[in-house]
Amino acid sequence: MPPTSPAASVAALPHLEAGLPLEQRVGELMARLTLPEKINQLLHENNAVERLGVPAYNWWSEACHGVGRNGRATVFPQVIGLGATWNRALVQRVAGVIADEARAKHHAAVAAGRRGQYQGLTFWTPNINIFRDPRWGRGQETFGEDPFLTGELGAAMVRGLQGDHPHYLKTAACAKHFAVHSGPEQERHGFDAKPTPKDLHETYLPAFEKLVRTGVEAVMGAYNRTLGEPCCGSKFLLGDILRGRWGFQGHVVSDCGAIDDFHQHHKVTKNAAESAALAVKNGCDLNCGCTYNDLVVAVRDGLITEAEIDVSLRRLLTTKFKLGLFDPPALVPFAETSPAIVDCEQHRRLSRQAAIESIVLLKNNGILPLHPDHESILVCGPTAANTTVLIGNYYGFSPRLVTLAEGILERAPEGCRVVYRAGSPLSGPMAPGVNYTYSTAAENELTIAVLGLDSTLEGEEGDAVASSTGGDRATIELPKVQRDFLIELRKHARKLIVVLTGGSALAVPEVHDLADAILQVWYPGCEGGRALADVLFGDASPSGKLPLTVPRCTADLPPFIDYGMRGRTYRFAEKEPLYPFGFGLTYGRLTYGPLSLSTPKLAAGQEVMVGTTLTNTGDRPVSEAVQCYVTPPRRWPEAPFATLVDFQKITLAPGDTAKIEFRLPAATFAQFDAAGRAGHVPGAYGIVVGSASPGPRAQALGAPAPAIGSITLV
C-alpha cells in the first residue's frame, strides 16, 4: 500500500470534517494546537498552521458603511445618515449588500493567495455608542443620540451582515465600543467614564443588550476605563453584564492597542504580561494588537493558565468555523459570490435610495422642489465639489463618486445655465481681495450653497488631519469663514438654498434666518450628488429625520468630558434646540388623526394598543417616519422629558390615509431609579405619535401637529 500523502493526512483530520458537530470540530482542533499556536490565534493576525490545515487569517476588517479599506466597494451614506432614514428594512438591505461584496472580495483575495488585513470576514461594525455630545468626531459612525433608535437600526445591520443561513455566517458583525465611550478622542486612552447607575442602564447599555439578543457575533471593548476598570478587561462589563446578565456567547475583541493602555496609560497593570492576563481572564478573547504575545510570559509566571486561554480560543475558533474558513468552498453558500457585484449598478441604486432617505429638509419657504424652468443656477461652497465629503470616515472607495455639484449639473435641464464657484475655504481665513462668487450670485436666478464639514475636520484621532482637537470639534458652529461667506452671499443671492454636509449637529441659527431652504445631507456616499438632485428637483420627496438634536450653540452643551446625561439629547436637555430630535420636513402635507388607546389604565404585565391615522393631503407621494414617544410623570426623579419607544417608516400616495398602530407592553413605560433598576412606576403617562420628538419647536418649524393622549399606570 502506498504511503499516505501529507495533504491527505491533513484532510483526514477530524476538525476538517464538515459533517461533524461544531463543538466537536472546535475541540478536535484545540487538542492539536500547541500553546504558542493557541496564543497566536488570540491575536488579530493569525499565522497558518499548515500541519493542521489552518489557514492564515487577519481578523481586522471594516465595513462601517461599505466594505472599507479594501479597494473598490459601494459606498453607502455614513451611518449617521443611515440613522436619519429611520428605516429598519433599508438598513438591513444595505448591510446585506455590504456582506455580499465582502464575500466576493474575500474569496477573490483567497483565490489569489492573499489573506491580509481588511480582506477577512470579521467586520468591526456597527458602532452603537450613544452620540451624547455633538462635539465627538466619531459620532458620525453611530445611529445617533437615542438608545432605542440605535438598538433597532444596529440590530437591522447585524441581521444584514450576518445573514440567516442555519449553519454559516455570511460575515461576523461586532457591536462596539463597549461601553460608555464617546470622546474626547484625545483622552480616550486614559480617561475613566463614570456614569451614574441610572445613566449607565438607561442610556449607555440598552443598544448593546439589543444587539446581543439579536445574535451579534462579537463585541469590541472600548479604550477608556468605565467605573475604574479598563473596558477591555472589565469584570463588571464583560463578566457580570455581557456574559452573566445577557448570556453573550460570542467573542470579545479589544480595540486596537487597547490592551497596552492598561499599563501604559491606565496604570492598572505593570507590564504587557499582566495586561494580557487581566484581559483574557476577564473575558477579552481577541487582541487587536500584539500584547497577547506576552501570554507566554504570563503562563510561565503563573498569571494565567492554559485552560483559561482555552476559553477564549474556543470562542474564536467557533466564529471561524461558523464563517466556513475550514470548509471546502463548495460547501460554503457564499463562496461563489462573483466580484462583478462589487459597486454594481444595483448596489449603487440602493446607495442612492439610502442617500435620498437620509436627507433631512430643515427649512422650506416654498422654494423647493425646484421648478423645471430655472434660467440659471450658481452652485458654490467648499463642499460642493468635494469627494471627501461623500465618504466620511471608515469608508470604502469607489471609482465613481458623484459629487453634489455633479449631481445638480447632471439633473439640471438643458438650457439652464449652471455655474460653479468654490466661494469659501472649508476652514481658515478667506484670502483678501475680490471674491467673484458674490457677483456671480447676483447674476443667477438661484444660488445653492453647499457648506459644512468634511472628514478632515471631524473623525477619529489620526484621521481628521485638519482637526486641532484629535478629530473632535471644539465648537459646533459652522466654521467662521463659512458663516461670514454666507452672510455676504445672502446680500447678493436672489434666492438661496443651503445644503449642509457633515456627520454631526451644526448649530446654524444664522443659516436658518438667511436661507430660503436648508437640507442636511450628512456624508451621503457614492451616489450622494444624484440623491441630492433627486430631492432638489422633486423626483423624490425628502423623508429623513434627525437622529440627533441640533442645539442653538455650543454654550447650550454641558462639558464634553462629563458623561452625565443631564442637559443632553432630547430626553434630558432643558434648553430649546434649533432643530429637535426626529424633525424633518417633506414636500407633502401630512395630518395626524386623534390618538386611540385600547385601555385607559395599564397594569404590570399588560399591554396597550396605540392607534392613530396619517393622511397625505398633498399632491405628491411622501414617506414618513412615524414616531411614538412616552412622556413619564415629572415627579419621578430625573425622569426624561420624553422617550422614543417605537417608530414606523410608511409611504403614502396623494390623498391616502394609513392606520398606524403601536403595541406597547407595560415594560415600555419602565422608569430607572438612582441605582439603575427599571421598575413599574404608577402614574399618568403621556403618549405622543408624530413627526418629531415632543415639544413646540417642531410645530414652529412646520411639522404637523402630533396625536396626543395619556394612560394611567396602576
Side-chain angles (χ1 to χ4, degrees):
M1 180 178 292
T4 303
S5 69
S9 297
V10 170
L13 291 169
H15 66 271
L16 297 179
E17 294 183 25
L20 292 180
L22 175 60
E23 289 187 7
Q24 180 180 344
R25 297 180 72 187
V26 172
E28 292 281 359
L29 177 53
M30 289 178 62
R32 289 168 171 80
L33 291 168
T34 66
L35 178 60
E37 289 169 341
K38 290 179 178 181
I39 290 171
N40 179 258
Q41 291 290 309
L42 272 59
L43 304 170
H44 79 270
E45 190 170 5
N46 300 161
N47 300 328
V49 186
E50 295 181 1
R51 64 186 178 82
L52 299 178
V54 176
Y57 185 74
N58 193 305
W59 290 79
W60 187 347
S61 290
E62 303 287 357
C64 185
H65 53 116
V67 178
R69 303 173 179 173
N70 188 20
R72 277 188 312 120
T74 305
V75 185
F76 291 94
Q78 176 57 286
V79 177
I80 194 69
L82 294 177
T85 71
W86 290 62
N87 190 330
R88 298 175 181 90
L90 177 64
V91 169
Q92 184 166 336
R93 285 176 60 204
V94 166
V97 163
I98 293 170
D100 289 339
E101 294 196 359
R103 274 287 177 175
K105 295 176 78 66
H106 168 74
H107 293 293
V110 169
R114 302 185 181 98
R115 298 177 182 270
Q117 189 172 333
Y118 306 130
Q119 294 179 315
L121 296 170
T122 41
F123 288 104
W124 294 343
T125 193
N127 181 341
I128 55 168
N129 291 129
I130 298 304
F131 197 0
R132 66 180 176 93
D133 192 300
R135 287 168 287 199
W136 185 37
R138 293 190 70 180
Q140 62 181 278
E141 301 170 34
T142 77
F143 291 105
E145 72 183 31
D146 183 74
F148 183 81
L149 180 67
T150 297
E152 291 295 301
L153 298 184
M157 178 159 276
V158 168
R159 290 191 294 269
L161 287 171
Q162 296 189 171
D164 56 5
H165 193 274
H167 303 298
Y168 290 105
L169 294 170
K170 188 184 287 187
T171 64
C174 175
K176 68 182 188 185
H177 309 81
F178 190 62
V180 199
H181 177 86
S182 51
E185 280 292 289
Q186 288 182 317
E187 300 178 37
R188 63 182 181 170
H189 297 280
F191 78 82
D192 185 8
K194 298 178 180 179
T196 65
K198 180 178 186 292
D199 287 341
L200 178 68
H201 293 282
E202 185 176 38
T203 297
Y204 291 114
L205 294 184
F208 284 98
E209 182 177 5
K210 175 73 176 181
L211 266 63
V212 167
R213 303 203 184 282
T214 300
V216 70
E217 186 67 12
V219 170
M220 176 181 281
Y223 282 117
N224 54 281
R225 277 169 290 150
T226 293
L227 301 174
E229 292 185 301
C231 294
C232 292
S234 170
K235 181 182 181 299
F236 172 63
L237 289 176
L238 303 182
D240 298 347
I241 293 179
L242 183 64
R243 297 202 185 276
R245 190 180 307 172
W246 300 344
F248 178 61
Q249 298 297 309
H251 69 267
V252 174
V253 56
S254 77
D255 209 336
C256 298
I259 309 302
D260 280 341
D261 288 344
F262 290 12
H263 53 277
Q264 292 182 353
H265 301 293
H266 297 307
K267 306 297 183 182
V268 299
T269 54
K270 296 177 182 177
N271 52 46
E274 287 190 9
S275 296
L278 176 66
V280 174
K281 287 164 74 79
N282 282 339
C284 185
D285 308 303
L286 182 67
N287 173 204
C288 179
C290 57
T291 318
Y292 280 9
N293 281 320
D294 280 81
L295 286 170
V296 173
V297 178
V299 171
R300 184 198 66 195
D301 293 349
L303 300 174
I304 194 170
T305 66
E306 184 171 351
E308 289 172 312
I309 290 172
D310 283 348
V311 173
S312 287
L313 177 63
R314 180 176 292 276
R315 293 169 182 151
L316 296 173
L317 291 180
T318 296
T319 298
K320 283 187 168 185
F321 276 105
K322 289 164 73 173
L323 288 167
L325 298 181
F326 300 112
D327 293 347
L331 297 180
V332 181
F334 320 109
E336 299 302 320
T337 307
S338 170
I341 70 166
V342 176
D343 201 31
C344 68
E345 292 306 319
Q346 180 181 359
H347 292 179
R348 293 180 68 88
R349 284 195 296 272
L350 180 61
S351 180
R352 182 172 179 173
Q353 181 60 35
I356 289 170
E357 292 197 35
S358 76
I359 294 174
V360 183
L361 180 60
L362 297 172
K363 178 183 179 180
N364 185 18
N365 66 4
I367 193 173
L368 294 177
L370 298 176
H371 59 77
D373 56 351
H374 278 290
E375 173 193 357
S376 57
I377 299 173
L378 167 64
V379 180
C380 63
T383 55
N386 181 338
T387 55
T388 302
V389 83
L390 301 176
I391 57 180
N393 73 344
Y394 276 86
Y395 51 84
F397 212 57
S398 168
R400 297 180 292 164
L401 295 170
V402 183
T403 67
L404 304 177
E406 288 172 326
I408 295 168
L409 177 64
E410 180 181 81
R411 178 58 181 80
E414 201 57 60
C416 174
R417 185 178 73 250
V418 179
V419 183
Y420 165 74
R421 291 193 184 278
S424 167
L426 191 63
S427 60
M430 184 82 76
V434 176
N435 187 332
Y436 293 134
T437 311
Y438 305 131
S439 59
T440 306
E443 295 165 358
N444 287 275
E445 181 183 356
L446 173 69
T447 295
I448 301 174
V450 187
L451 309 173
L453 310 173
D454 74 4
S455 57
T456 67
L457 290 174
E458 59 172 0
E460 186 171 17
E461 175 190 46
D463 261 347
V465 294
S467 168
S468 61
T469 50
D472 298 324
R473 291 186 292 153
T475 63
I476 63 170
E477 283 75 17
L478 198 66
K480 183 178 184 302
V481 67
Q482 295 187 49
R483 296 200 306 271
D484 293 344
F485 167 70
L486 180 73
I487 291 169
E488 184 62 28
L489 183 67
R490 176 73 272 191
K491 297 175 183 177
H492 304 273
R494 303 184 212 172
K495 299 176 182 178
L496 178 62
I497 296 170
V498 173
V499 176
L500 295 173
T501 65
S504 181
L506 281 166
V508 287
E510 61 284 304
V511 178
H512 187 83
D513 291 341
L514 294 174
D516 297 300
I518 306 170
L519 301 103
Q520 173 76 55
V521 301
W522 316 105
Y523 298 133
C526 60
E527 288 283 321
R530 293 190 176 109
L532 172 62
D534 286 337
V535 171
L536 286 173
F537 288 92
D539 300 324
S541 183
S543 66
K545 302 287 186 179
L546 289 173
L548 41 72
T549 302
V550 180
R552 289 185 175 275
C553 60
T554 307
D556 286 350
L557 296 170
F560 189 11
I561 194 64
D562 179 6
Y563 269 78
M565 289 306 298
R566 177 177 292 182
R568 299 190 184 280
T569 77
Y570 78 97
R571 298 165 70 222
F572 300 103
E574 297 180 357
K575 296 182 179 179
E576 184 184 64
L578 180 62
Y579 302 114
F581 174 82
F583 174 73
L585 301 172
T586 186
Y587 292 157
R589 293 190 300 274
L590 297 173
T591 303
Y592 283 88
L595 195 75
S596 65
L597 302 174
S598 60
T599 178
K601 296 182 179 181
L602 190 66
Q606 296 180 335
E607 66 180 22
V608 60
M609 294 298 299
V610 177
T612 186
T613 59
L614 181 64
T615 301
N616 178 10
T617 61
D619 58 359
R620 61 178 62 238
V622 296
S623 292
E624 171 76 337
V626 181
Q627 304 159 42
C628 182
Y629 295 86
V630 165
T631 60
R634 297 310 307 157
R635 63 178 175 79
W636 185 251
E638 298 189 28
F641 292 108
T643 298
L644 177 72
V645 294
D646 209 347
F647 60 92
Q648 297 176 23
K649 189 77 175 275
I650 64 170
T651 300
L652 290 173
D656 275 2
T657 296
K659 292 183 178 179
I660 310 296
E661 282 192 339
F662 295 103
R663 182 186 302 271
L664 304 183
T668 302
F669 298 84
Q671 297 303 305
F672 288 81
D673 64 16
R677 296 182 297 253
H680 186 86
V681 179
Y685 288 73
I687 299 178
V688 180
V689 177
S691 293
S693 54
R697 181 62 178 163
Q699 281 70 63
L701 292 167
I708 299 175
S710 65
I711 191 170
T712 300
L713 266 62
V714 297

